[in-house]
Amino acid sequence: MSDQELTSTIVSVERWLGNPVTRSLLKFMVAEDKCGNRLSNAIDVYAGNPHELCWKCDLAAWMVAKIMRRSSRLFGFDEQDIRNGLADPAYRRGMVNVLTGISRYGITKPQIVIAPFLVVWDFTHMCNLKCKHCYQDAQRAMEGELDTDEAKRVIEELANAGVTVIAFSGGEPLMRKDFYEVASHAHKNGIYVSLATNGTLITPEVAKNLVASGVDYTEISIDGKDAASHDAFRGIPGAFDRSVQGIKNCVDAGLYTCIATTVTQANYSQVPDIYRLAGELGVKRMLCFNFIPTGRGKDLVTTDLTPGQRESMLKFILEKDRNGGTPIVLSTAPQLARVALEMEDGCGVPVGHFHLGSELQGRTRMLADFIGGCGAGRLYCSIEPTGNVQPCVFMPIVLGNLREKAFLDIWHNSEVLDTLRDRSGLKGSCATCTYKLVCGGCRARAWAYYHDLNAPDPGCKNNQKFWDELYREAKPAPMTVPEPKIVIPRAR
């Protein structure tokens, strides 16, 4: 699709979904009825699960069919694929979320949703490792962590709000004895359940328990190609071997398994080796985390990647995916989408600051303008063990506490979140960048370096001057360290 055709199609979408008549119809559709939520019922009917409804829900079902048919033509989807996708409760919940958000906010760039797609829940600060880069400085349980009943109430609140995915993180979530009970409660409430773990506690029995409790996805941290490099990062001898065995146990149990690597100067040159290890272990995804100097990670600030190193790593990732490599490899660095577009070779446009990434190709490139870039406070947020809500696990700004405020009250009435959802205030090259909508820079890095949500992300090549100023004035320049090279193979 040419740029002109893309622009024309985006304008058509905005006019269609953003006009007052459509928004009024959407408000009618998302209302609660004696049958329940009209939109949810209508999508259920569209997905092929007919049941008796009132005439208002029947009308909503007719309208949903019209919207899906029109959307499939505009975005180049097969309508049957949409129907098949809606059989998944998480997919269906996401669709309700988007349409309800449009009914409330209209079409926005980036798009504001009615509730975050993803909530990363730091379930506890207890941890059996001592990772140098830990954003939580996790060691022991925080005073006042939500108990089991409170955690289950939060699950229900998030489900009712429309949250699609909960990623349990920490600390080490498996150190809480009630993890399976709470995870199972999330699954029973129709939420996709993800677990971010160091993997050292995952025996074959634990892996089976994860499956039984409804965990859909496990993300296990590996920060080096071997025991020497990984254990140095993780602070405990033997951690690598136990984590690798945990990965094997998850794969054997049939869990969708991901290896997550926080990339710094310490392991930058090992990324290809970690990628090969991921393939050998049979995982389906590798995720390269953007290093954020917060928590314990502040002490590692001089090991942050230079803009050039980050660029090289992102190109490596895209080359692997373009060539059909296994596993799929993604990054939480929002610049990944910008690099993909600059390569202009059909390798796709990764979008969304998610633990569960996605790749869009062809006509669906237009969606990147609406959902692309840093999703902090916009498509996702985090919850602390004590119930504090934050825009991002790497952005320690307390928005409110779930013991005191309703989740949606926090989500819809925060000046901090309003700032994160409006990219017109960005500074530095992020303000004028052609790719502001699909990237926008990492807002957590802006906060960590400048304590300013709109500051430039100094890790991008387009903000090189800000990187140079930071490191010249405040810290020893990491550029004095010989840059390890990641070899990027040429496309065949």
Side-chain angles (χ1 to χ4, degrees), residues 111-113 115-119 351-354 370-381 411 421:
Q111 186 60 48
I112 301 173
V113 292
F117 287 122
L118 168 68
V119 170
V351 299
H353 192 172
F354 286 97
F370 298 97
I371 63 175
C374 178
R378 186 176 62 84
L379 298 177
Y380 100 102
C381 68
W411 182 254
R421 294 164 185 170

Side-chain angles (χ1 to χ4, degrees), residues 389-401:
V389 178
Q390 300 181 164
C392 168
V393 293
F394 300 108
M395 197 183 294
I397 304 172
V398 177
L399 307 174
N401 187 281

Side-chain angles (χ1 to χ4, degrees), residues 163-206:
V163 171
T164 304
V165 182
I166 291 179
F168 289 98
S169 188
E172 174 50 58
L174 294 177
M175 291 190 73
R176 270 190 62 156
K177 294 179 180 179
D178 61 352
F179 172 77
Y180 300 114
E181 181 179 352
V182 177
S184 178
H185 196 63
H187 176 73
K188 289 174 182 176
N189 275 273
I191 293 176
Y192 186 97
V193 181
S194 167
L195 169 65
T197 170
N198 61 46
T200 61
L201 303 178
I202 303 180
T203 63
E205 182 181 3
V206 167

Side-chain angles (χ1 to χ4, degrees), residues 263-265 290-295 297-307 309-310 335 394-396 442-460 463 466-476 478:
V263 185
T264 66
Q265 299 264 351
N290 214 13
F291 170 67
I292 317 290
T294 188
K298 289 178 182 178
D299 295 333
L300 299 181
V301 67
T302 57
T303 70
D304 195 359
L305 295 185
T306 67
Q309 287 174 324
R310 184 169 282 100
Q335 291 86 4
F394 300 108
M395 197 183 294
C442 174
R443 295 301 93 209
R445 286 175 55 81
W447 182 258
Y449 274 103
Y450 296 100
H451 218 59
D452 180 350
L453 294 172
N454 282 322
D457 178 350
C460 177
N463 284 316
F466 294 96
W467 174 269
D468 293 341
E469 289 170 1
L470 277 167
Y471 277 77
R472 183 168 57 247
E473 294 174 4
K475 297 170 285 293

Side-chain angles (χ1 to χ4, degrees), residues 121-327:
W121 188 345
D122 288 329
F123 201 46
T124 181
H125 269 200
M126 286 189 290
C127 193
N128 58 331
L129 300 184
K130 299 177 181 178
C131 305
K132 292 180 179 179
H133 63 298
C134 181
Y135 61 82
Q136 291 288 11
D137 195 14
Q139 297 178 58
R140 57 186 64 86
M142 293 179 73
E143 184 177 349
E145 291 189 355
L146 299 175
D147 63 26
T148 304
D149 289 340
E150 288 177 312
K152 291 168 80 170
R153 180 192 62 76
V154 168
I155 291 288
E156 292 164 9
E157 187 174 1
L158 297 178
N160 291 334
V163 171
T164 304
V165 182
I166 291 179
F168 289 98
S169 188
E172 174 50 58
L174 294 177
M175 291 190 73
R176 270 190 62 156
K177 294 179 180 179
D178 61 352
F179 172 77
Y180 300 114
E181 181 179 352
V182 177
S184 178
H185 196 63
H187 176 73
K188 289 174 182 176
N189 275 273
I191 293 176
Y192 186 97
V193 181
S194 167
L195 169 65
T197 170
N198 61 46
T200 61
L201 303 178
I202 303 180
T203 63
E205 182 181 3
V206 167
K208 290 177 182 176
N209 289 339
L210 293 176
V211 173
S213 63
V215 173
D216 299 283
Y217 176 100
T218 52
E219 182 181 284
I220 298 176
S221 299
I222 294 290
D223 289 310
K225 65 179 181 179
D226 53 28
S229 53
H230 177 84
D231 292 356
F233 217 57
R234 292 277 157 178
I236 298 291
F240 179 79
D241 291 337
R242 290 164 61 195
S243 294
V244 166
Q245 187 58 55
I247 292 169
K248 292 177 180 178
N249 293 336
C250 286
V251 171
D252 289 345
L255 282 161
Y256 192 110
T257 307
C258 167
I259 278 180
T261 302
T262 299
V263 185
T264 66
Q265 299 264 351
N267 60 4
Y268 167 74
S269 63
Q270 298 180 27
V271 169
D273 294 312
I274 299 171
Y275 176 81
R276 280 191 288 272
L277 173 64
E280 291 168 3
L281 292 173
V283 305
K284 294 185 178 181
R285 174 173 287 148
M286 175 179 172
L287 185 60
C288 293
F289 267 98
N290 214 13
F291 170 67
I292 317 290
T294 188
R296 227 179 273 154
K298 289 178 182 178
D299 295 333
L300 299 181
V301 67
T302 57
T303 70
D304 195 359
L305 295 185
T306 67
Q309 287 174 324
R310 184 169 282 100
E311 198 80 2
S312 177
M313 181 191 71
L314 297 179
K315 288 179 180 177
F316 171 83
I317 287 172
L318 291 165
E319 287 283 357
K320 288 299 181 185
D321 289 339
R322 177 177 64 178
N323 293 332
T326 303

